[in-house]
Amino acid sequence: MNGKTALVTGANAGMGLATSIELVQRGYRVLMLCRNQERGEKALREVEVAGGSGSAELVRGDLAELSSIRQFADDIHGRVSSLDVLINNAGVISPKRQETKDGFELALGVNHLGHFLATNLLLGLVQAADRGRIVVVASGAYKAGRIHFEDPHLRQSYNVIKSYGQSKLANILFARELALRTYDSGIAVNALHPGAVLTQLGIDRGTGFGQGVYRALGKLPSFQTPAEGASTAVYLADSPEVEGISREYFYRSQPKSLDRKAEDDEAAAKLWEWSEVEVGLS
């Protein structure tokens, strides 16, 4: 083991599972945050079978429920004294409007607000590490979004592109504002676009809705495997090449420029203040 600890959200499948496998193989102690106990245990077994000099353990928690976030944050504080890497990987997308248990629009609630609260509750552990890193898995879909401050939970008008685009833009604005707020502590905060990755994001596990599309997409050569998609997250988590680099947006392990709206520092600060109120931090 290399003595380093990482937390990966959404670690039970797709890029989160691929990231966990790679980090364990690199010697990390990986805390795998999973919403479902059974799927989490299955993923943990996959990591163990893949092998490596590190170790993995399951942390159960639901980013769609503020009380669960507070509980798993307490759990993590009880397990470790520092976190070298926090990877905000979990994500949802929904063709129809849904809400979290706290009444948030689902994509904004999980992709942004859930990670916002979790990151703030775990920030002390990252600060306790030597040059801690926070990696935010965003998406090029941010280009189709804007922050609807007048109706952030999309109660008046909803469509899946509007929902997902807003949540991914929020990811980037959050990462940039967090980088500013943690600059003096030496934490590196970066966001990334993983590319087009074939995962089961968007498939309803209860009804199976979306499976046909998933199978069809799997035949297209332009889609990456989860391991390929996870490569940039692993790079930002572990590579010495990005030591000291913060507030950047990466694609294929290279920094990329952002559209102007994703570099709007005023909007980022406004989103942060609004988010604090929503999750009960202010």
Side-chain angles (χ1 to χ4, degrees):
M1 294 183 70
N2 62 19
K4 292 186 176 182
T5 302
L7 170 67
V8 181
T9 71
N12 64 283
M15 289 189 299
L17 176 56
T19 299
S20 300
I21 288 172
E22 180 63 27
L23 289 178
V24 168
Q25 291 179 341
R26 294 185 182 211
Y28 279 78
R29 175 189 180 185
V30 178
L31 307 181
M32 299 172 61
L33 181 71
C34 303
R35 179 171 60 88
N36 180 277
Q37 183 74 23
E38 183 179 352
R39 288 196 293 270
E41 290 173 354
K42 179 177 180 293
L44 181 61
R45 289 193 293 271
E46 288 189 50
V47 174
E48 291 170 344
V49 168
S53 59
S55 66
E57 55 200 77
L58 184 62
V59 179
R60 208 208 69 77
D62 189 350
L63 285 160
E65 185 177 352
L66 296 180
S67 61
S68 178
I69 295 169
R70 294 182 184 279
Q71 288 172 2
F72 77 66
D74 286 343
D75 180 5
I76 293 166
H77 274 276
R79 298 191 195 202
V80 301
S81 58
S82 64
L83 267 179
D84 296 277
V85 181
L86 169 59
I87 301 180
N88 290 344
N89 164 81
V92 298
I93 183 171
S94 178
K96 62 180 181 179
R97 187 181 182 279
Q98 299 184 67
E99 291 188 349
T100 70
K101 292 181 179 177
D102 301 286
F104 305 149
E105 187 273 317
L106 184 64
L108 188 65
V110 173
N111 300 354
H112 169 60
L113 288 170
H115 281 119
F116 178 87
L117 177 59
T119 301
N120 275 283
L121 294 177
L122 298 172
L123 192 57
L125 293 176
V126 184
Q127 290 171 329
D130 181 25
R131 296 185 294 279
R133 300 184 185 189
I134 297 175
V135 180
V136 178
V137 179
S139 167
Y142 85 86
K143 296 178 181 179
R146 73 176 179 88
I147 307 300
H148 298 269
F149 285 111
E150 74 287 355
D151 180 29
H153 295 299
L154 308 181
R155 295 186 174 95
Q156 303 303 315
S157 173
Y158 180 90
N159 68 63
V160 63
I161 296 174
K162 184 178 182 180
S163 160
Y164 192 65
Q166 173 177 247
S167 74
K168 294 290 104 178
L169 176 58
N171 286 159
I172 296 171
L173 293 174
F174 166 60
R176 288 174 58 82
E177 179 68 14
L178 180 61
L180 287 179
R181 290 171 178 255
T182 58
Y183 178 79
D184 290 338
S185 65
I187 294 175
V189 186
N190 292 291
L192 69 101
H193 170 43
V197 183
L198 191 64
T199 71
Q200 299 213 15
L201 181 69
I203 293 177
D204 189 313
R205 290 192 175 94
T207 66
F209 179 81
Q211 284 282 4
V213 174
Y214 177 81
R215 287 192 295 270
L217 291 175
K219 299 175 183 177
L220 298 177
S222 59
F223 274 77
Q224 303 175 92
T225 65
E228 290 168 338
S231 62
T232 301
V234 172
Y235 174 78
L236 290 173
D238 190 55
S239 175
E241 295 177 7
V242 290
E243 186 72 55
I245 295 176
S246 189
R247 213 172 184 238
E248 295 289 346
Y249 175 72
F250 282 76
Y251 173 53
R252 293 186 175 176
S253 302
Q254 296 292 326
K256 297 294 180 182
S257 60
L258 287 161
D259 288 0
R260 185 177 300 176
K261 62 184 173 184
E263 295 184 330
D264 186 338
D265 292 346
E266 184 176 332
K270 183 178 180 180
L271 177 65
W272 184 284
E273 292 170 3
W274 174 82
S275 301
E276 284 184 322
V277 173
E278 291 294 284
V279 303
L281 285 180
S282 67

